[in-house]
Amino acid sequence: MSEVRVLRRIADELSRASGSLEDPNEATALWAAVAGIKPAEVWLKRETEPAPDVVKRFWKAVEQRQRGVPFAYAVGHVGFRTLELAIDPRALIPRPETEGLVELVLKHGTRGWVADIGTGSGCIALALATEGDFERVIGVERSPAAAALARENVARIAPKTPVEIREGNLLAPLVDKGERGAYRIIVANPPYLTEREFMELDASVREFEPREALVSGASGLDATRGLFAGAGGLLEPGGLLALEIDMQRADAVRALGRDYGWDVAIHDDIFGCSRYALSIKED
């Protein structure tokens, strides 16, 4: 079966399967993703007989998309800044907003030790290890399954600065190592939703992405509070705590940080939303 026939057939099936998949171009995007080529190349190569393994993976991805599985999970990989990462339901799918958090951290400086708390797929830790000049990069993850995925991505990317993945909750794997004052930067994209807010998310997120990476107590700020409470003792003087936050909680995050003795600056993302809290411990 030629690629063009596969794509025409599956575009029709996708369109019939769900009103949310009416765009026939998604079939082309799925094929390109599983084949490891650009969408334009699919049509340039439309007379070429496809490899059987590509066809198999394509149809598997189509079946998953028909069930509502997010695109990145269906194809098994996702782009993040300069990286191509393996991704599956063990970890949250990296978002473009998180790329902005990495950009702010890199602008702050790339020396010393950096820790990424709640590393998930390892996207932040690996981007910093690839683009920065840090001496050490540590990724911390409480989910053993997500930690395993992060280690797979470390092996896949093989960054110039090695990335160590530690298992444990929030800052505990750093405290347990006695690394007081060792870090120049601690960065995190912590969970920041309530259970009610989680239940109101689109089904493509609620039914497939890990709840523990999104929900954080009655206020949505439990993880953020833990980071403000403990990060100061792990950072060197003048060190940075960089957090991705919920734009609706920007004022609450600023106030919470101040309660724990931090000078908190809120920064907007590319969409003009309050998305990042950059904090330095006050003397």
Side-chain angles (χ1 to χ4, degrees):
M1 183 184 296
S2 71
E3 291 182 14
V4 67
R5 288 176 59 200
V6 170
L7 290 167
R8 284 175 178 167
R9 176 179 170 186
I10 208 54
D12 290 342
E13 289 200 12
L14 286 171
S15 182
R16 289 196 301 271
S18 169
S20 66
L21 295 173
E22 291 178 351
D23 184 0
N25 292 327
E26 182 170 354
T28 304
L30 283 171
W31 184 274
V34 299
I37 59 177
K38 296 179 180 179
E41 294 181 79
V42 174
W43 297 101
L44 291 174
K45 299 178 179 179
R46 61 185 177 273
E47 301 302 326
T48 303
E49 190 68 20
D53 66 312
V54 173
V55 175
K56 182 178 180 179
R57 285 186 281 115
F58 173 64
W59 283 97
K60 181 179 179 181
V62 167
E63 184 274 331
Q64 290 181 307
R65 288 295 290 138
Q66 289 174 325
R67 291 192 290 108
V69 175
F71 188 97
Y73 288 160
V75 300
H77 57 88
V78 63
F80 185 79
R81 291 182 67 87
T82 65
L83 306 175
E84 191 72 17
L85 302 168
I87 193 68
D88 60 41
R90 288 178 287 177
L92 199 69
I93 298 170
R95 265 60 173 186
E97 294 90 336
T98 306
E99 297 189 17
L101 179 62
V102 172
E103 188 69 25
L104 287 172
V105 169
L106 290 171
K107 286 181 179 179
H108 181 81
T110 64
R111 68 173 181 83
W113 292 16
V114 60
D116 170 27
I117 309 302
T119 195
S121 64
C123 59
I124 294 175
L126 283 164
L128 294 175
T130 301
E131 299 182 54
D133 294 309
F134 296 100
E135 295 170 25
R136 293 190 68 185
V137 177
I138 308 296
V140 174
E141 176 55 53
R142 67 177 177 176
S143 164
L149 176 61
R151 292 188 182 103
E152 291 167 20
N153 276 318
V154 170
R156 176 190 182 110
I157 302 299
K160 60 181 182 180
T161 300
V163 175
E164 177 189 352
I165 303 298
R166 299 180 186 173
E167 293 182 32
N169 189 45
L170 293 178
L171 302 166
L174 312 183
V175 174
D176 292 347
K177 293 281 189 178
E179 294 170 339
R180 184 175 180 82
Y183 290 88
R184 176 61 181 167
I185 298 171
I186 294 176
V187 58
N189 177 17
Y192 48 62
L193 299 180
T194 65
E195 188 66 38
R196 180 181 60 81
E197 290 168 331
F198 173 76
M199 295 307 297
E200 293 172 351
L201 292 174
D202 187 85
S204 64
V205 177
R206 188 181 66 251
E207 296 179 5
F208 297 99
E209 301 201 54
R211 174 190 172 280
E212 61 271 20
L214 294 163
V215 176
S216 188
S219 66
L221 292 172
D222 283 6
T224 301
R225 182 178 295 104
L227 291 165
F228 276 133
L234 292 161
L235 289 166
E236 63 183 56
L240 176 72
L241 174 62
L243 305 176
E244 183 171 335
I245 64 174
D246 173 24
M247 63 181 182
Q248 296 179 345
R249 290 179 168 83
D251 290 340
V253 169
R254 183 188 287 109
L256 184 61
R258 287 174 178 168
D259 287 344
Y260 283 94
W262 295 86
D263 181 11
V264 181
I266 303 297
H267 295 257
D268 290 348
D269 62 18
I270 58 174
F271 304 109
C273 301
S274 300
R275 185 64 63 185
Y276 317 111
L278 302 189
S279 306
I280 295 175
K281 196 75 170 177
E282 296 175 335
D283 295 333

